[in-house]
Amino acid sequence: MFPQFGATAETLSKASTMVFRIGTDAHLYDDPDDVSIAPLLDSKFDSEKCEALKRLLALIAQGFDVSNYFPQVVKNVASQSLEVKKLVYLYLLHYAEKRPNEALLSINCFQKDLGDPNPLVRAWALRTMAGIRLHVIAPLVLVAVGKCARDPSVYVRKCAASALPKVHDLRLEEHTLAIEEIVGMLLNDRSPAVVGAAAAAFASVCPYNLSLVGRNYRKLCEILPDVEEWGQIVLIGILLRYVIARHGLVKESIMFSLQCTESSHSAKDGSDVDFGLVKESTDLSGTCDSEFLNTISRCYMEGPDEYLSRSSYANRESFELNGAQFTSGKSNDDVKILLYSTSPLLWSNNNAVVLAAAGVHWVMAPKEDVKRIIKPLLYLLRSSNASKYVVLRNIQVFAKAMPSLFAPYFEDFFIFSSESYQIKALKLEILSYIATDSSISSIFKEFQDYIRDPDRRFAADTVAAIGLCVQRLPKMAHICVDGLLSLTRQEFVTKDFGFEDQEAGILTQVIMSIKSIIKQDPPSHEKVIIQLVRSLDSVKVPAARAMIIWMVGEYSSLGEIIPRMLTTVLKYLAWGFPSEAPETKLQILNTVCKVLEGATGDDLWTFKKIFSYLIELAECDLNYDLRDRARLLKKLPSCNLVSLGLEEGTNDIPGNDLLHIVAECILGRQTRKVKPKSFSYRYYLPGSLSQIVLHAAPGYEPLPKPCSLLLDDLNVAEGTSEMKRAADYSGTDDYGSSSDPSDEESASDYDSQRSVTESSGSDRGDDSEFTSEGNDNADPLIQISDIGNASENQNGVSQSSPANLGELMSNRALESWLDEQPGSLNPCLPKQSQVQISSAKISVGDVGKQVKQKSYSLLDPASGNGLKVDYSFSSEISSISRLLVCIEVFFKNCSSEIISEITLVDEESNRAFDSADKTAVVNESPLTSSDDVPTLVPMESIVSLEPGQTTRRILQVRFHHHLLPLKLALYCDGKKLPIKLRPDIGYFVKPLPMDVEVFIDKESHLPGMFEYARSCTFTDHIVELNKENGDSLLVKDKFLAICESLALKMLSNANLCLVSVDMPIAANLDDASGLRLRFSSEILSSSIPCLITIGVEGKCTDPLNLSIKVNCEETVFGLNLLNRIANFLVEPTLS
Amino acid sequence: MLQCIFLLSDSGEVMLEKQLTGHRVDRSICDWFWDHVISQGDSFKSQPVIASPTHYLFQVVREGITFLACTQVEMPPLMGIEFLCRVSDVLSDYLGGLNEDVIKDNFVIVYELLDEMIDNGFPLTTEANILREMIAPPNIVSKVLSVVTGNSSNVSDTLPGATGSCIPWRAAEPKYANNEVYVDLVEEMDAVINRDGALVKCEVYGEVQVNSHLSGLPDLTLSFANPSILDDVRFHPCVRFRPWESHQVLSFVPPDGEFKLMSYRIKKLKSTPLYVKPQLTSDAGKCRVNVLVGIRNDPGKTIDSITLEFQLPPCILSADLNSNHGTVNILGNKICSWTIGRIPKDKTPSLSGTLLLETELERLHVFPTFRVGFRIMGVALSGLQIDKLDLKTAPSRLYKGFRALTRAGEFEVRS
């Protein structure tokens, strides 16, 4: 109205803020690139670096891509200034995924910072390191997290907890157990702050591993009030799930209602056990909608999608809850303590905590105690509009299920004019649920005010709410109808203004409400119908008119007066027919037809005339719907009479019965009683996102199956129980499998079960003492020789296993650690050579011939139209470039027809730009040499393949050192089939022949940071030994068999060179401890040597404990190779 | 878990983007959002949870700034919303208000704050006192200093001690020469008066605001003279639950500085301090307005800052309104605001005039609601009284101060 006021106020405020902008970063935001940023980044002053980084941040904020500054920014990660660090971290996290190679450069700095005395620096380093999501550094991050989880500073431990989901998010199956172990440890932390973050980690990493919670359930409950607010929200949910999985639902809670309806059925058969209880609950259910509660609790238990889809084919019984799945809230301590510890949270300052606590009480608390959540919930309505909306959406369900709970508080749902439309609509709906005979009068008084509100949409909703209220409380019907009728007479409704869309909506709503009220008890509202019919002249809104006309047809035989009015009314309608809206026209036709059906005597003739007149008009109407309707109605029996005159013979037509039925269906007098479906039937757990958006959001889980967590599970070693848990879930309810989509994707050959031993392996390493004596049972194959102090080395290996964090310690830390155990890592120290243990060298010469390359399937005949493609990694070395890995591919035609034109193409190469970009990245990276090598060297295509024929091709692929599957496209017969080639890090190396002395010398140059170890078990030899026992061979061959099977396994899974096999000379007959195999290789791309040592320990006939050690300059590669080796060694060979 | 937070200006410009997890959210989602805001108007803006084709969005609008957070997975929606509210509270506390310019001018601080407040999509440090220690708020001194010296570090070098303690809201061991505690009762009165002039509902939402400057680790207890009138309460995390449950006594170790100790609600009050009597009579395309405002129950202290506001119905073409006291303004969006101030002794303030209706309209059929504002210093209208405040570990001297204030909350009079 007066825009100039607003404008001046705005300019004034702008002017005043200009004054305050001095000294802020305003200029940086406004013109971030008005100076050249690059030189500032290289400046030696922190303040200039800061300015440059702030400019970059401003550009990020404004949506520009400034990732090209990445290399320069990364350099600054080493800065001592915390502000520079912070800004670099902000930048790094934003772009790390885009520039993985450069991001790797910062790892060393993070590792250094992790040893910093300032906890803030440690925490930041950890957060950032975990935040740059690179698969290759995941093992390093995990070790860092493990270390920080034991940090003295609470803040660092908290950050460690929140870093776990980041690592888990990379979906590295082999680390799952290690992550879960850390989660368990942090959940047990004594600081509440850490427990909160650990709960969040638990919820996103391993929500099914409830046995982790079981171990310290009591402690978690007690600590709950002290946990910081955000952690509380998550922890409450976890504890609820645990209690249900462990003890089942509570008998006295609302969730029992589904049980009680079922048992009341059985009560009729006289076979019920606790009849008293059922009676009691039915008494209570007088105040609540038990059928609705049943729906809700089922939805909570199994997710509405499941429940609804099943109920549609009428098989509700498959989800049975028996009495054993219920526990008593009064006697079960775990339930009691949960309710006890969550009840003070209802007073929390944080809305989300209150709602979460209320959710627990809603599900678990005995019915009579549920009311304690009401006041806190209502208090939430005083918060911000956004929170208010979410809370109301939850109250909406609660109130519908148990209106009695909210009925006394109806005043809290009275509406303020300042509220948003959504909130008003929700409040109206809730009011219509909770209205009682005592409160209805004040509620109606309020509604009268609402109808006069300037927001007409809201007014229309109010009218609808009145209708709903009356349906619940029929006593009010007459008063309401009178009120509604007076509305129809009001001037504003009946006048036809241009802008009256919303008024039309109100009128339609008024008639609709009246209609629904009349439907409940038509005879008593006869006068209302008459009044409505009288008002037809003034009601102009088509939808409203149509409804009144419908009522004329529907109640045409009702009472005394209406039948007498009919002729006049129909004449009036017929007269005005041409000027009506299509909607009304259709309804007039229907109504006349209906009247005709029931008409008798004198009126019949008049009605018929009217009808045929209308049909004629309608058949020439512009609207084709109307023309169709007219033709259809004409064919109906009662109308037939009209067009054919009064021939009685028509009744003999055989199809006539059918026509009668059709007529009944179309014009059915008895409208079936349809329950009002104003409300969706989908219910999700209170407080969940899904409940707001009314569909299961990804990651939504219904409550766990009651009592699915057995006591045994808690006692079993955690690793296996976790597996069982997962299996249980996927077995019992179907979403288990979908919850982990990565399962199918991430390769059959990486099974997480194998890493079970990883965590516990560290303890075993220390026991490797060579106590056995004598037994010089020398074999011709075994040559006795001195090979350094092998056993010392063995100790070194086991002590630097992951749990000890040896490889991650910064240099300083490493040195101090070395001081504690002088020289144990370095076998070349002269001191050490005094303690020498003789060992023998075994030669297993012919192993090489036995090596069978493992073959993987690339394409199975079913999906490849009969073409079967297998591949195995070849030990050949590419002659084109050292970046390429050779793969042997076998094409076999399994079909009966010739397949022609087979060729393999890199899918990426289509996107030329993309791949160019990728090579550009590689070029800048110092780690790889700079040559332009394609991802896939073009394969010589196969012209044709006869049925049954097999052809072999050598494929040269460049994996870019990624461990992710490479997407290729296979063309055959002109068709394109997408396939995935899974890289094997074992073939990213090539054999590097050397003798033992060279090996030991090289190994001694790669200590500390470059040495990583892991342990695992090995079982292959057992099969082998059993076989040989049968042949009654000599016992001494056991060693040979072990060495052979071990070497075979290594060589057939990785491209290595066997350097030596050592055996302790003082070996016991069937103690394989001390056996050591050495392999050497070099990385294909960079020619960096990579040395592998495997130490054996344990009895010959038992599973052996292996400790694997890798020495390699390239940390990340080495770690990945180590993991790969450990994985395939554990995996039993399929024979 | 939240994946990304956007800050949008009131013109839909993305001022800031903070990615929280590795699953990046493209800022094109903001375009989608703003397109819908434009096409659906305010009803979309008041929707706190939105399911977009790719993400679920949580939105909180404060002072024209839209805080938008995205997630793709199930999470408690209130957690997202509450967190955004907390962010906006902290930001407006840091920047002294919220508007487009102030956020752009201090974007580095906003980034640093966001980075401390949330990690990997889960809230990390949200306690204002700790944040203040980690990242210094901008103030005049630091601004001037940065202009003069060019050094502008506002990031603290050390971890605040409170992050580690089991009372995370309190900085470790502050020292004060004077030990002071100020307790304020700040109440807001919500009332609805219907067309007939009847009081439909009247309740008070109050807060106990404490400003504490105490050395060491003080343990305070606060008790009320009449706790039974409290209908429902909510507490700062520092309040111990059990003493309240058993004796209705607040026992707590206070944070340092200002904080909200508790909030409460008292329902079913019987009267309001003011009366407002609107009369609207319409006839022949004109509507006569007459509004009277006066004191109904004298609270014993002066009622000041009295204002009256109402939205003119859309069917009104023009308005001619005058008052015998105070000033009447009609703002651009058809909001009429009448600033009264204090009620004079000699006369009853009244607003009168005529509204001209749209041409076809004879009479007015929708009626505005009048929103009333007032403030009364020195009185808690609910009648809640503080009994005593004790310090367990009594230092040598302790100065205690009490104040009360009542103002109008949602005070509505329908016509």
Side-chain angles (χ1 to χ4, degrees), chain B residues 126-333:
Chain B
T126 50
E127 192 62 43
N129 286 335
I130 300 179
L131 285 172
R132 281 182 170 277
E133 281 183 57
M134 287 178 126
I135 296 152
N139 55 40
I140 296 293
V141 179
S142 77
K143 277 180 196 167
V144 172
L145 211 66
S146 76
V147 172
V148 176
T149 64
N151 183 13
S152 63
S153 175
N154 55 354
V155 180
S156 158
D157 284 1
T158 49
L159 188 68
T163 51
S165 77
C166 52
I167 33 175
W169 55 86
R170 188 170 176 83
E173 303 293 318
K175 289 247 184 327
Y176 292 100
N178 302 319
N179 283 301
E180 300 166 325
V181 192
Y182 298 98
V183 182
D184 293 356
L185 288 183
V186 178
E187 301 198 331
E188 285 190 3
M189 176 173 268
D190 286 9
V192 176
I193 295 161
N194 72 4
R195 282 173 59 203
D196 312 333
L199 192 60
V200 173
K201 82 172 174 187
C202 180
E203 44 192 50
V204 159
Y205 285 84
E207 285 179 5
V208 181
Q209 291 177 353
V210 178
N211 192 352
S212 108
H213 297 284
L214 298 171
S215 313
L217 213 63
D219 198 331
L220 293 168
T221 46
L222 179 72
S223 57
F224 296 107
N226 46 354
S228 58
I229 64 167
L230 293 173
D231 195 61
D232 198 21
V233 286
R234 296 178 72 179
F235 299 125
H236 187 274
C238 70
V239 177
R240 301 187 183 96
F241 294 126
R242 303 300 168 204
W244 175 261
E245 249 179 353
S246 48
H247 307 101
Q248 252 112 70
V249 168
L250 292 167
S251 158
F252 58 99
V253 177
D256 205 31
E258 283 180 42
F259 68 102
K260 190 175 94 183
L261 178 67
M262 76 179 273
S263 57
Y264 55 86
R265 171 181 181 184
I266 296 169
K267 283 168 70 173
K268 309 222 160 141
L269 292 175
K270 292 286 175 281
S271 68
T272 57
L274 287 176
Y275 69 84
V276 176
K277 285 185 182 157
Q279 274 186 322
L280 283 89
T281 48
S282 55
D283 197 11
K286 276 189 184 167
C287 178
R288 203 170 280 283
V289 184
N290 187 28
V291 189
L292 289 176
V293 179
I295 296 175
R296 185 194 299 274
N297 294 299
D298 197 342
K301 306 260 173 172
T302 27
I303 308 176
D304 58 7
S305 310
I306 301 175
T307 56
L308 191 88
E309 244 188 22
F310 64 100
Q311 171 93 48
L312 294 174
C315 54
I316 283 171
L317 283 180
S318 69
D320 174 26
L321 297 167
N322 290 302
S323 68
N324 65 350
H325 184 85
T327 51
V328 182
N329 271 319
I330 298 177
L331 307 176
N333 43 0

Side-chain angles (χ1 to χ4, degrees), chain A residues 738-931:
Chain A
S738 61
S739 71
D740 195 355
S742 64
D743 253 357
E744 301 128 70
E745 273 208 22
S746 60
S748 45
D749 51 341
Y750 287 87
D751 187 352
S752 50
Q753 191 129 29
R754 225 166 299 128
S755 48
V756 170
T757 46
E758 176 199 39
S759 50
S760 54
S762 53
D763 318 58
R764 292 181 203 141
D766 298 322
D767 306 341
S768 59
E769 287 166 33
F770 303 92
T771 47
S772 49
E773 281 291 319
N775 201 342
D776 291 8
N777 203 346
D779 185 274
L781 273 169
I782 302 172
Q783 311 152 16
I784 299 168
S785 63
D786 284 344
I787 312 174
N789 48 352
S791 69
E792 284 301 322
N793 214 339
Q794 166 86 23
N795 269 335
V797 171
S798 50
Q799 267 150 16
S800 63
S801 61
N804 283 335
L805 314 170
E807 73 272 27
L808 203 92
M809 291 187 178
S810 59
N811 275 341
R812 190 156 39 83
L814 194 68
E815 275 156 26
S816 64
W817 186 73
L818 282 175
D819 285 339
E820 287 164 32
Q821 290 173 295
S824 65
L825 263 183
N826 197 336
C828 286
L829 285 176
K831 237 196 276 172
Q832 287 300 306
S833 51
Q834 296 164 359
V835 209
Q836 284 186 353
I837 290 176
S838 308
S839 59
K841 203 170 187 180
I842 314 175
S843 62
V844 274
D846 54 344
V847 163
K849 290 171 198 160
Q850 295 177 30
V851 170
K852 273 182 288 172
Q853 296 302 344
K854 211 166 170 190
S855 164
Y856 307 94
S857 161
L858 197 56
L859 186 69
D860 62 309
S863 55
N865 297 337
L867 182 68
K868 183 179 171 199
V869 185
D870 289 336
Y871 70 97
S872 61
F873 287 91
S874 147
S875 50
E876 274 180 57
I877 306 303
S878 164
S879 53
I880 302 171
S881 160
R882 52 188 187 149
L883 293 177
L884 294 169
V885 177
C886 290
I887 296 167
E888 238 176 326
V889 188
F890 297 92
F891 297 88
K892 187 177 183 192
N893 187 350
C894 297
S895 68
S896 52
E897 285 160 36
I898 298 176
I899 299 176
S900 54
E901 291 297 328
I902 306 170
T903 185
L904 266 174
V905 185
D906 171 25
E907 211 171 42
E908 305 281 314
S909 68
N910 303 342
R911 287 177 258 147
F913 173 75
D914 199 351
S915 61
D917 189 32
K918 221 176 236 173
T919 46
V921 170
V922 174
N923 284 347
E924 289 164 28
S925 145
L927 293 177
T928 44
S929 56
S930 53
D931 42 353

Side-chain angles (χ1 to χ4, degrees), chain B residues 24-53:
Chain B
R24 301 174 62 86
V25 183
D26 197 84
R27 55 165 70 198
S28 58
I29 190 88
C30 295
D31 301 338
W32 180 91
F33 170 78
W34 203 256
D35 286 348
H36 280 73
V37 168
I38 289 168
S39 63
Q40 295 181 28
D42 282 345
S43 71
F44 195 77
K45 274 210 126 177
S46 57
Q47 230 172 308
V49 181
I50 300 161
S52 84

Side-chain angles (χ1 to χ4, degrees), chain A residues 324-341:
Chain A
Q325 283 169 325
F326 285 90
T327 178
S328 167
K330 283 169 185 146
S331 60
N332 190 310
D333 286 346
D334 277 1
V335 175
K336 266 200 284 194
I337 194 173
L338 176 67
L339 293 176
Y340 179 74
S341 58

Side-chain angles (χ1 to χ4, degrees), chain A residues 1-2 17 20-26 29 47 54 57-58 60-63 82-83 86-87 90 94 97 118-120 124 127 133 153-155 158 162 165-166 169 200 228-231 233-234 340 344 347-352 354-355 375-376 378-380 382 384 386-387 389-391 409 411-412 414-418 420 422 446 449-450 452-454 456 491-492 495 497 499 503 687-690 692-693 695 697-700, chain B residues 14-19 22-24 27 43 46-49 56 58 72-79 81-83 85-86 101 104-108 111-112 115-116 118-120 122-126 134 143 146-147 150 152-159 163-164 188 190 192 194-195 200-201 205 231-236 241-242 244-245 260 263-265 267-268 317 330-332 358 360-362 365-367 369 410 412 414-415:
Chain A
M1 211 167 221
F2 300 103
T17 47
F20 291 112
R21 295 181 84 171
I22 297 166
T24 63
D25 301 318
Y29 193 91
S47 58
K54 283 178 180 177
L57 217 52
I60 290 177
Q62 288 164 32
L82 274 168
E83 186 170 29
K86 182 93 211 168
L87 294 170
L90 284 170
H94 198 83
E97 217 168 354
N118 185 348
L120 195 60
W124 279 359
R127 281 175 57 189
R133 297 156 40 87
S153 160
V154 171
Y155 186 71
K158 198 171 149 188
S162 60
K166 300 183 197 173
D169 202 35
E228 45 125 37
E229 43 194 340
W230 311 106
I233 304 167
V234 183
Y340 179 74
W347 292 331
S348 169
N349 233 339
N350 188 317
N351 293 345
V354 177
L355 188 58
K375 277 188 176 182
L378 294 176
Y379 200 137
L380 298 187
R382 171 69 192 183
S384 71
S387 307
Y389 172 78
V390 174
V391 174
Y409 303 99
E411 281 179 354
D412 279 309
F414 285 176
I415 288 155
F416 290 109
S417 64
S418 53
S420 74
Q422 283 99 335
E446 277 287 296
D449 281 1
Y450 300 162
R452 298 152 62 98
D453 194 276
R456 300 318 278 162
E491 170 200 30
F492 67 88
K495 273 215 166 173
F497 297 126
F499 73 99
E503 305 297 344
S688 66
L689 175 60
S690 307
I692 306 298
V693 295
H695 63 252
Y700 173 80
Chain B
V14 186
M15 292 189 292
L16 236 145
E17 130 182 25
K18 172 92 177 101
Q19 303 283 346
H23 306 281
R24 301 174 62 86
R27 55 165 70 198
S43 71
S46 57
Q47 230 172 308
V49 181
Y56 300 102
F58 302 123
Q72 279 180 309
V73 293
E74 169 69 46
M75 65 173 282
L78 261 194
M79 186 159 137
I81 290 166
E82 281 291 289
F83 178 73
C85 289
R86 195 69 62 90
D101 288 333
K104 283 182 177 174
D105 295 353
N106 298 288
F107 73 99
V108 177
Y111 261 117
E112 287 167 349
D115 195 57
E116 284 309 326
I118 189 164
D119 184 23
N120 199 35
F122 192 79
L124 184 68
T125 309
T126 50
M134 287 178 126
K143 277 180 196 167
S146 76
V147 172
S152 63
S153 175
N154 55 354
V155 180
S156 158
D157 284 1
T158 49
L159 188 68
T163 51
E188 285 190 3
D190 286 9
V192 176
N194 72 4
R195 282 173 59 203
V200 173
K201 82 172 174 187
Y205 285 84
D231 195 61
D232 198 21
V233 286
R234 296 178 72 179
F235 299 125
H236 187 274
F241 294 126
R242 303 300 168 204
W244 175 261
E245 249 179 353
K260 190 175 94 183
S263 57
Y264 55 86
R265 171 181 181 184
K267 283 168 70 173
K268 309 222 160 141
L317 283 180
I330 298 177
L331 307 176
E358 277 185 353
E360 299 95 334
L361 268 177
E362 282 282 295
H365 63 275
V366 291
F367 295 89
T369 303
E410 305 267 354
E412 292 190 350
R414 299 185 187 134
S415 57

